[in-house]
Amino acid sequence: MVLIGLILLLILDRLFPVRTDVKYSTLVTAVDSTILHAFLSRDDKWRMYAETAEITPVLRDAILFKEDKYFFYHPGINPVSVLRAIGRNVFTGRRTSGASTITMQVVRLLEPRKRTYGSKLIELLRALQLEIHYSKAEILQLYLNLLPYGSNIEGIKAASLLYFGKPPKLLSLAEITTLTIIPNRPSSLRLGVRNERVVQERNRWLRRFGENGTFPAQSVADALAEPLTARRRAAPQQMPHLSLRLAREHRDTPVLRTTIRPAMQATAEQLVGNYVNRVRAHNIQNAAVLVLDNQTMDVLAYVGSADFHNRFDGGQVDGVRAVRSPGSTLKPLLYGLAFDAGLITPKSKLNDVPTNFGGYEPENYDRRFNGPVTAEFALANSLNVPAVKLLRDLGTPVLIDALKKVGFSTVQKQSKDLGLSMILGGCGVTLEELTKLFAGFAAPPRPTRRGEPLAPVWLTQHSPDQSSDAQAAPPSGRSDGSGGGGLLSPEAAFLVTNTLSQITRPDLPNNFDNSYHLPRIAWKTGTSYGRRDAWSIGYNRRFTIGVWVGNFSGVGVPELSGANTATPLLFQLFNALDYNSPRGWFRPPTGGKDAKLALRQICPESGEVPDDSCSARSIDYHIMGVSSSRRCGHQKAISTDSAGRVSYCAHCLPERGAVRRMYANLAPELMTYYSVKQIPYRAIPPHNPACERVFGAGTTQQPPLITSPNDKSEYFIDPKNPTEIQLSCQTANDVRAVYWYVNDRLVRKALPTEGVFIKPRPGVLKISCADDRGRSSDIRVVVKAE
């Protein structure tokens, strides 16, 4: 019979389990457990989860003395109290004592019922059931989390925070006593409204504590003399953007312990608010900041906007996650990938001249061109044409794949439509994505257990989730995507950092104060098209800080720029958060047997390994086994007559009188640039007119490059008043004349740098250009009548 009874009880326990899945308020805390933000529970209660570590011995002893002295000794039911209550109720004819233990009160709070004898019997059985499944500490914790304090406040932690402005572990004896007496009379003992009556009841219980010896006499005396300052306070509402984000991603999680450092968060918020107040006169309304720890990828500060409550420019928009145009901020990654691909070294020469990339003609920020420049100069000065050329040579898919690996979600969605313009801002990114990318430059990450690079870490650890959605989330706030590093080798990352740490550059703010207090960082700025977004992302050994400044409305501002708008705030943040950083600076990875970065001699004219004809020498970094070892070709030998007026090829080279001279081996676009700017250079003399052969040794085989119009383009004209189309080209430096043809009919002879204009007719046009060496190229365009 006993066995049958036990089996029956087990079946009933399975069929009617005690449900303790309480829906708590979500608390977002800092790394030191400071509560930053609190949210109402799903049933609109301030019901905050108090952990066992927050239940101090004083709180435990006070509540047990008042509610259930034998809590740790009975199985959920106190038989003596039950018999005493039955006797009193029978003899008096009315209910004078309920004999409820703390466990029974928990049952009543979990499953509210009308107060009848039948309900009391159910409570008794449920209390036994609860004691079987949970420890005494867990039951006491559950009890303290459910205590009613009037209005929509439940639980000791919510009452402590909302009435006294502190967590339970910081409560004094007087405050603890106050909170132990309220649940029995939440209507008559209203904190902040009837404090005099509360003090009377509090002192009565304090004297009982003293008489019983529950607490030392001196502690009781001090508590009696303590004034009651309780009042209803607002729940913490700090760091709203990140708090809302985490609360949505981890629903029904009682406590979300973030990696945020309160002091850094407060400093960042204050600096952002003050800075935006100053620039608001220029119609610049908002800013966002993200601070990462380079070694752990912990998020240390998160500012989504200057003022969350600013409705004028969408203060509730999270600027850390908002998709914006990146401007030039992706260039460091492009150059790093090019270093690793062996395309360039820091002193490789790139031509910053007007160039047509199939109809796309980028310009620099200042609308000026610099001619041949080194790669490090092009990156430090954020030149656009060299970057587009480099992307063309590297391949747009290579950059897109790298950004996908980092987790650039918008780039992944746009990948099929992206082209060369993406390096100048023609794609969508977020401040979070850019900041973690630059953190990868600062500290190539250690792989996680899954073999993935590190991603930004929002959470340290949190209480066991109470929903399947929360349990499915990645542990420790780590996303499933790849992190900000792992894209570049340590050698390429150092070369990028070494370039971005230069201070002789145009994006240094034009402000003496900023220059005087310039932090030692590597940084890159960006300004989007239309001056809608100003970026500045910087890092040192310890931290990476991303700054965005602009208007969430998308309104452009003439004064907005990455250099003069976002960078001053970046400098202020570094000076405030990490002034005189003790970590030192980045060192080149040249030591050790696996190091590949080394110095070598190069020709400063080309950045390549010097040839015998190179008279000057310079030093440059290169990645061993990766960087190109091509010999310098900035000059080429040409045979001419003694006066240097005629050049010869191998076919027409005379037996006597020829002189071998060195001439600059210039690209066609550079020759065109020199001609337009009237920059003198030593041009190759015209070829021997008596030569019977078109081509010869020492001559270039490149045909003219037609730069206008664009191949396969469409033009719409008014047949009555047709618009002229310009014909232009770029040629090798040995060309003196070109011949233009339309549909195989000669239009005219022209100089290589001369523009020729035609009035086309509707239809398909074949446009050809031939030089005086017999080399030709052609394109086709379609002209349509409007």
Side-chain angles (χ1 to χ4, degrees):
M1 292 298 292
V2 175
L3 181 61
I4 294 174
L6 290 175
I7 294 174
L8 181 61
L9 289 175
L10 289 173
I11 293 174
L12 291 174
D13 180 63
R14 290 292 182 91
L15 293 176
F16 305 99
V18 179
R19 300 192 178 277
T20 59
D21 53 340
V22 180
K23 300 302 181 185
Y24 290 101
S25 302
T26 296
L27 300 180
V28 180
T29 70
V31 71
D32 63 354
S33 299
T34 302
I35 297 176
L36 298 174
H37 205 105
F39 295 91
L40 286 167
S41 64
R42 287 197 180 187
D43 54 353
D44 293 329
K45 300 284 187 181
W46 290 115
R47 187 188 299 119
M48 301 179 187
Y49 183 82
E51 301 176 76
T52 53
E54 296 180 277
I55 303 174
T56 63
V58 175
L59 173 59
R60 181 195 61 213
D61 294 344
I63 202 73
L64 292 183
F65 177 82
K66 183 179 178 300
E67 296 294 333
D68 193 352
K69 297 178 183 178
Y70 304 101
F71 173 71
F72 286 103
Y73 304 102
H74 60 66
I77 303 172
N78 188 335
V80 176
S81 298
V82 170
L83 292 175
R84 183 175 62 247
I86 292 174
R88 287 180 180 178
N89 294 342
V90 170
F91 288 117
T92 59
R94 57 190 177 88
R95 186 173 58 84
T96 60
S97 176
S100 293
T101 62
I102 284 180
T103 309
M104 294 169 65
Q105 292 184 58
V106 170
V107 172
R108 187 161 59 246
L109 292 169
L110 288 172
E111 302 173 356
R113 295 183 179 86
K114 292 183 178 180
R115 306 196 70 172
T116 63
Y117 288 109
S119 297
K120 182 63 68 174
L121 178 60
I122 294 176
E123 286 178 12
L124 293 172
L125 296 174
R126 284 293 202 187
L128 293 172
Q129 190 179 12
L130 198 63
E131 291 276 349
I132 292 173
H133 291 284
Y134 296 93
S135 67
K136 288 290 186 179
E138 291 172 328
I139 294 172
L140 179 60
Q141 178 190 17
L142 193 58
Y143 173 70
L144 292 173
N145 284 333
L146 295 174
L147 284 175
Y149 284 92
S151 186
N152 64 339
I153 300 176
E154 293 185 6
I156 191 76
K157 187 167 185 175
S160 174
L161 193 67
L162 298 179
Y163 284 121
F164 293 104
K166 62 180 74 173
K169 61 183 178 181
L170 298 181
L171 293 172
S172 65
L173 176 58
E175 292 166 339
I176 287 175
T177 306
T178 300
L179 294 182
T180 59
I181 64 176
I182 300 298
N184 298 113
R185 299 163 58 187
S187 299
S188 60
L189 299 177
R190 296 181 62 186
L191 278 173
V193 178
R194 299 175 179 174
N195 280 1
E196 298 83 2
R197 185 177 297 181
V198 173
V199 169
Q200 293 177 2
E201 185 67 11
R202 179 201 73 177
N203 290 348
R204 185 173 72 85
W205 276 99
L206 283 171
R207 294 187 187 97
R208 291 185 64 178
F209 291 154
E211 293 169 359
N212 186 70
T214 306
F215 303 107
Q218 186 59 49
S219 298
V220 173
D222 293 340
L224 288 168
E226 184 177 317
L228 180 60
T229 59
R231 60 179 175 83
R232 179 62 185 268
R233 292 169 168 82
Q237 300 291 304
Q238 302 175 52
M239 199 180 62
H241 294 95
L242 179 58
S243 299
L244 286 166
R245 172 180 181 173
L246 295 176
R248 293 190 188 104
E249 294 176 356
H250 302 271
R251 295 179 63 86
D252 296 327
T253 302
V255 182
L256 295 169
R257 296 187 181 89
T258 70
T259 57
I260 295 294
R261 297 184 186 178
M264 297 183 72
Q265 177 70 22
T267 300
E269 288 180 356
Q270 182 180 11
L271 288 174
V272 170
N274 293 341
Y275 187 77
V276 170
N277 286 336
R278 292 200 300 272
V279 300
R280 193 164 280 140
H282 300 293
N283 197 30
I284 300 172
Q285 305 292 333
N286 247 306
V289 167
L290 183 65
V291 183
L292 297 180
D293 184 302
N294 294 334
Q295 298 303 317
T296 63
M297 293 298 286
D298 286 351
V299 177
L300 307 180
Y302 188 115
V303 183
S305 69
D307 181 5
F308 183 79
H309 303 288
N310 174 19
R311 298 182 180 180
F312 179 76
D313 193 61
Q316 296 186 11
V317 174
D318 188 350
V320 175
R321 306 178 72 188
V323 178
R324 314 291 296 189
S325 167
S328 297
T329 53
L330 296 179
K331 288 178 182 175
L333 175 60
L334 170 65
Y335 279 80
L337 293 172
F339 288 141
D340 275 333
L343 295 179
I344 58 171
T345 59
K347 288 185 168 52
S348 294
K349 283 300 180 71
L350 303 173
N351 291 329
D352 179 32
V353 297
T355 308
N356 186 309
F357 298 92
Y360 179 46
E361 299 183 19
E363 291 183 332
N364 290 322
Y365 182 79
D366 58 3
R367 297 189 177 181
R368 297 179 180 178
F369 296 93
N370 300 272
V373 297
T374 63
E376 62 182 358
F377 181 92
L379 175 56
N381 289 267
S382 196
L383 302 181
N384 290 339
V385 174
V388 175
K389 286 183 178 179
L390 202 57
L391 180 58
R392 180 194 62 188
D393 296 341
L394 179 69
T396 305
V398 175
L399 180 62
I400 293 175
D401 289 343
L403 293 174
K404 286 181 180 179
K405 182 179 179 183
V406 182
F408 279 55
S409 57
T410 305
V411 169
Q412 185 167 4
K413 296 175 184 177
Q414 301 172 332
S415 58
K416 294 182 180 179
D417 302 317
L418 294 177
L420 295 177
S421 64
M422 68 176 296
I423 198 59
L424 305 184
C427 60
V429 303
T430 66
L431 179 61
E432 177 185 332
E433 293 168 346
L434 285 176
T435 307
K436 70 178 179 180
L437 172 66
F438 278 69
F441 301 156
R446 300 179 297 272
T448 64
R449 286 177 296 179
R450 299 180 183 179
E452 301 170 345
L454 293 177
V457 178
W458 314 100
L459 304 175
T460 54
Q461 57 182 353
H462 47 73
S463 332
D465 296 335
Q466 301 189 353
S467 70
S468 58
D469 292 341
Q471 290 173 350
S476 300
R478 198 181 306 280
S479 66
D480 286 333
S482 297
L487 297 178
L488 304 180
S489 66
E491 293 80 14
F494 171 78
L495 295 178
V496 169
T497 299
N498 196 43
T499 301
L500 296 182
S501 58
Q502 298 178 12
I503 61 174
T504 306
R505 47 198 278 191
D507 58 354
L508 185 69
N510 297 322
N511 185 298
F512 173 80
D513 183 62
N514 281 323
S515 300
Y516 184 76
H517 297 289
L518 177 65
R520 189 175 188 186
I521 60 172
W523 83 97
K524 182 71 184 76
T525 62
T527 307
S528 67
Y529 178 77
R531 295 179 180 265
R532 296 180 175 90
D533 307 279
W535 303 88
S536 192
I537 320 291
Y539 58 91
N540 60 13
R541 289 289 298 274
R542 300 179 68 190
F543 305 128
T544 297
I545 301 178
V547 172
W548 170 88
V549 181
N551 295 314
F552 290 133
S553 62
V555 174
V557 179
E559 293 80 9
L560 191 72
S561 71
N564 292 314
T565 309
T567 303
L569 179 55
L570 178 73
F571 289 176
Q572 289 180 25
L573 287 162
F574 267 106
N575 285 333
L577 302 179
D578 197 34
Y579 191 66
N580 290 332
S581 175
R583 292 275 184 97
W585 194 242
F586 300 93
R587 296 181 179 179
T590 54
K593 61 180 181 179
D594 296 328
K596 295 183 178 180
L597 192 65
L599 291 169
R600 70 179 179 186
Q601 283 192 342
I602 53 100
C603 173
E605 296 294 329
S606 65
E608 298 173 340
V609 178
D611 198 356
D612 294 337
S613 61
C614 299
S615 58
R617 298 288 191 277
S618 184
I619 300 296
D620 187 21
Y621 282 110
H622 76 290
I623 303 176
M624 292 185 292
V626 175
S627 300
S628 172
S629 57
R630 182 174 57 241
R631 289 285 176 176
C632 177
H634 82 280
Q635 295 184 106
K636 62 180 179 180
I638 299 294
S639 297
T640 68
D641 60 359
S642 58
R645 296 176 180 176
V646 176
S647 62
Y648 301 109
C649 64
H651 182 75
C652 65
L653 182 66
E655 295 182 1
R656 298 178 183 178
V659 179
R660 196 166 180 83
R661 291 185 170 93
M662 301 300 295
Y663 289 88
N665 187 18
L666 302 179
E669 66 270 16
L670 189 57
M671 286 181 52
T672 302
Y673 173 75
Y674 284 163
S675 298
V676 172
K677 292 295 181 179
Q678 296 183 348
I679 300 175
Y681 66 96
R682 193 180 185 190
I684 299 176
H687 191 64
N688 178 16
C691 181
E692 298 177 357
R693 188 172 182 179
V694 175
F695 300 115
T699 63
T700 178
Q701 302 297 317
Q702 294 179 347
L705 174 65
I706 300 175
T707 58
S708 176
N710 300 317
D711 190 21
K712 300 179 182 178
S713 57
E714 293 184 353
Y715 290 84
F716 293 86
I717 64 171
D718 181 359
K720 297 180 180 180
N721 186 23
T723 304
E724 291 185 334
I725 296 179
Q726 181 182 9
L727 308 180
S728 61
C729 67
Q730 294 177 350
T731 63
N733 61 359
D734 58 351
V735 175
R736 293 294 175 269
V738 295
Y739 302 86
W740 288 100
Y741 297 84
V742 175
N743 291 336
D744 297 327
R745 295 184 64 180
L746 178 66
V747 175
R748 59 167 289 192
K749 175 184 177 181
L751 296 174
T753 58
E754 181 183 357
V756 176
F757 293 87
I758 62 172
K759 289 186 177 181
R761 295 181 179 179
V764 178
L765 300 184
K766 175 186 176 184
I767 299 175
S768 306
C769 182
D771 60 23
D772 54 8
R773 308 302 303 279
R775 299 162 298 202
S776 65
S777 59
D778 50 65
I779 62 171
R780 284 174 171 78
V781 300
V782 178
V783 179
K784 297 182 179 179
E786 291 182 333

